Amino acid sequence: MNQLQTWVNVPDNSDFTIYNLPYGIFKTEGKKPRVGIAIGESILDLHEVHKLGFFKDLTLPDKIFRKKYLNDFIALGRPIWSAVRKRLIEILSVEETVLPKYADVVLKPQNEAIMMLPVKVGDYTDFYSSIEHATNVGKMFRDPENALLPNWKHIPVGYHGRASSILVSGSPIHRPKGQTMPPNATQPVFGPTKRLDIELEMAFIVGRETNPGQSIPVDKTDDFIFGMVLFNDWSARDIQKWEYVPLGPFLGKNFASSTSPWVVTMEALEPFKVSGPEQDPKVLPYLNYNGDKNYDIELEVSLQPQDGEENIISRSNFKYMYWNMAQQLAHHTVNGCNVKVGDMMASGTISGKEVGSYGSLLEITWSGKNPITLNDGTQRTFLENNDTVYLRGHAKKGAIRVGFGEVSGKILPSIDV
């Protein structure tokens, strides 16, 4: 591939190169929400680009980019996604002579824009697809010798989460309240969680609907996945531990999840495909796939105390996942469960083999037994009020860099209505 160059200023090591072009919904003063593309430190206003006629041969609806969500654009389908991406690369390349004349109209500084939730999420599913994470949790809470449950290597385990509490990056996270069972207690108590945690995850966004009763074969899933975001599935570990038997997570999970505002398309991530871990025992035929389905995406978690500096507490990689997105979507629909455009499906906590690559404080501190010391000398086992957490991720191969920006959230005290 010839190296791509753009007429837009893109700083070195920017997440938002011409190889990326992620979609998001942004708002500026005096303007309604609309669809934009991140490029360097700017946002390309696709509604204005469309008005200028640069997509006129692609038969796009007139106001497709003046929307509060990406759903309507995503629903146009893969041929349109590809055609628009190709056109964007053309008009942003250094050879383009017309669009730069309208730079003041079509480019907006990112620091002057308010980013919004990129899709209207109808349904949200959270998987449990890292064998390292599942093993660590099993060792802590079940059996150190038989950490994985019998079904774990046979199915991509998941649960249905709460779509209404998915928040865009930067939204505050209020400490959840609920029942917990303190150690050595005989009765549960009620109050704010004392074990508020993060979960380093990524999520994919469904790009095509199915009807009830239909299943998506594992070799057809590429046509049903539009793109990916960074995802933090905040967790109240003490609430979760008390409630999860027999039906799984509920109040310990449904209070908040945070997503990055920029959706990186699967086309942009194509160069970063890698093989996944060997799956043993062999999976059932409907989960058997061909080719590389994992992605080499470097991930980082930072914790910043009030008025303090950031502390990197984890560096991990999405390529570690035991179950890949194709298998997750095939399993999710094998029973005839229908999916809709904008549905979000998260990976579950992403952990590597070492403490420095674990994707949750639960693992990093081994359920609070091994506190971490921050740069200011304070310690953490779980999150305290006024802590801010940042998740960042990017993929790099030679001159090609594709990043996700960040997803952040600050912990605030519990509130009552």
Side-chain angles (χ1 to χ4, degrees):
M1 175 191 288
N2 293 329
Q3 186 168 343
L4 299 175
Q5 295 183 336
T6 176
W7 54 269
V8 180
N9 180 47
V10 178
D12 292 341
N13 293 319
S14 171
D15 278 354
F16 305 128
T17 65
I18 193 171
Y19 295 99
N20 191 351
L21 309 182
Y23 290 89
I25 300 294
F26 74 103
K27 184 170 64 173
T28 55
E29 187 174 357
K31 297 281 189 178
K32 293 183 177 181
R34 55 196 55 210
V35 179
I37 291 290
I39 178 77
E41 296 176 336
S42 301
I43 299 174
L44 183 69
D45 186 330
L46 295 193
H47 179 62
E48 295 293 344
V49 173
H50 193 16
K51 282 169 55 179
L52 289 168
F54 287 91
F55 301 128
K56 62 184 178 183
D57 59 324
L58 301 184
T59 62
L60 297 174
D62 286 343
K63 296 183 179 180
I64 191 65
F65 296 122
R66 202 175 80 177
K67 301 284 186 177
K68 291 175 60 177
Y69 300 105
L70 287 168
N71 297 53
D72 288 350
F73 171 71
I74 295 173
L76 296 177
R78 179 168 292 279
I80 291 294
W81 311 340
S82 297
V84 170
R85 177 175 170 80
K86 181 180 179 182
R87 181 60 45 82
L88 287 170
I89 292 174
E90 292 171 354
I91 64 178
L92 289 170
S93 70
V94 290
E95 290 82 10
E96 172 64 29
T97 59
V98 179
L99 189 59
K101 299 175 182 178
Y102 299 96
D104 290 344
V105 175
V106 299
L107 288 180
K108 317 294 181 185
Q110 288 191 32
N111 60 11
E112 295 180 9
I114 297 172
M115 299 306 300
M116 308 181 74
L117 198 66
V119 293
K120 185 175 178 60
V121 185
D123 284 294
Y124 154 56
T125 299
D126 191 34
F127 285 95
Y128 190 46
S129 295
S130 162
I131 192 168
E132 290 82 8
H133 175 66
T135 300
N136 287 338
V137 173
K139 285 180 177 179
M140 277 185 269
F141 297 122
R142 284 189 294 273
D143 182 350
E145 301 301 321
N146 296 287
L148 295 178
L149 290 170
N151 65 354
W152 199 92
K153 285 190 172 182
H154 294 277
I155 59 174
V157 175
Y159 73 94
H160 296 292
R162 183 73 180 177
S164 65
S165 55
I166 295 178
L167 309 171
V168 73
S169 176
S171 301
I173 308 300
H174 289 276
R175 184 174 294 272
K177 304 183 293 291
Q179 288 191 28
T180 61
M181 178 66 83
N184 303 317
T186 58
Q187 293 292 323
V189 298
F190 175 81
T193 177
K194 296 179 180 178
R195 292 190 153 211
L196 183 56
D197 200 358
I198 59 152
E199 289 198 343
L200 169 63
E201 304 194 21
M202 302 198 73
F204 69 84
I205 292 170
V206 173
R208 183 176 162 189
E209 292 193 2
T210 59
N211 294 319
Q214 289 183 319
S215 301
I216 302 174
V218 70
D219 59 351
K220 300 293 185 183
T221 54
D222 286 354
D223 290 335
F224 289 83
I225 301 177
F226 174 70
M228 297 186 68
V229 293
L230 292 171
F231 199 80
N232 187 349
D233 188 28
W234 307 90
S235 299
R237 299 298 185 186
D238 44 2
I239 296 173
Q240 180 184 357
K241 184 178 181 181
W242 172 236
E243 74 182 358
Y244 83 102
V245 178
L247 294 180
F250 187 39
L251 299 186
K253 294 279 193 177
N254 70 3
F255 60 95
S257 301
S258 298
T259 178
S260 54
W262 296 108
V263 183
V264 177
T265 66
M266 301 315 298
E267 285 185 270
L269 292 170
E270 187 70 22
F272 310 106
K273 282 185 171 181
V274 293
S275 60
E278 180 183 358
Q279 295 183 329
D280 181 28
K282 187 177 180 179
V283 299
L284 291 176
Y286 80 94
L287 292 171
N288 190 37
Y289 65 95
N290 295 311
D292 293 336
K293 296 296 184 181
N294 282 45
Y295 290 82
D296 185 0
I297 301 172
E298 296 179 26
L299 302 167
E300 177 183 287
V301 182
S302 289
L303 191 158
Q304 182 180 28
Q306 177 83 341
D307 300 323
E309 59 185 60
E310 285 189 41
N311 300 254
I312 296 175
I313 61 173
S314 176
R315 286 190 173 97
S316 197
N317 197 298
F318 188 54
K319 68 183 179 183
Y320 298 143
M321 304 307 287
Y322 187 88
W323 295 105
N324 60 54
M325 292 181 287
Q327 292 176 310
Q328 290 167 351
L329 188 54
H331 182 68
H332 198 303
T333 62
V334 73
N335 65 343
C337 174
N338 58 310
V339 294
K340 294 187 177 182
V341 172
D343 284 358
M344 197 172 280
M345 302 198 181
S347 61
T349 304
I350 302 165
S351 291
K353 296 183 182 300
E354 308 297 331
V355 174
S357 63
Y358 293 167
S360 68
L361 285 167
L362 177 71
E363 296 166 90
I364 294 169
T365 70
W366 208 252
S367 193
K369 294 177 182 178
N370 304 315
I372 57 173
T373 301
L374 305 183
N375 295 336
D376 63 4
T378 61
Q379 291 189 323
R380 293 291 187 279
T381 51
F382 293 93
L383 296 174
E384 296 185 5
N385 290 345
N386 299 311
D387 284 346
T388 301
V389 176
Y390 300 88
L391 274 53
R392 299 184 177 96
H394 74 274
K396 189 169 177 25
K397 186 176 183 180
I400 304 175
R401 181 182 169 108
V402 170
F404 291 78
E406 69 179 29
V407 53
S408 68
K410 183 175 182 177
I411 307 303
L412 299 182
S414 303
I415 57 173
D416 293 314
V417 175

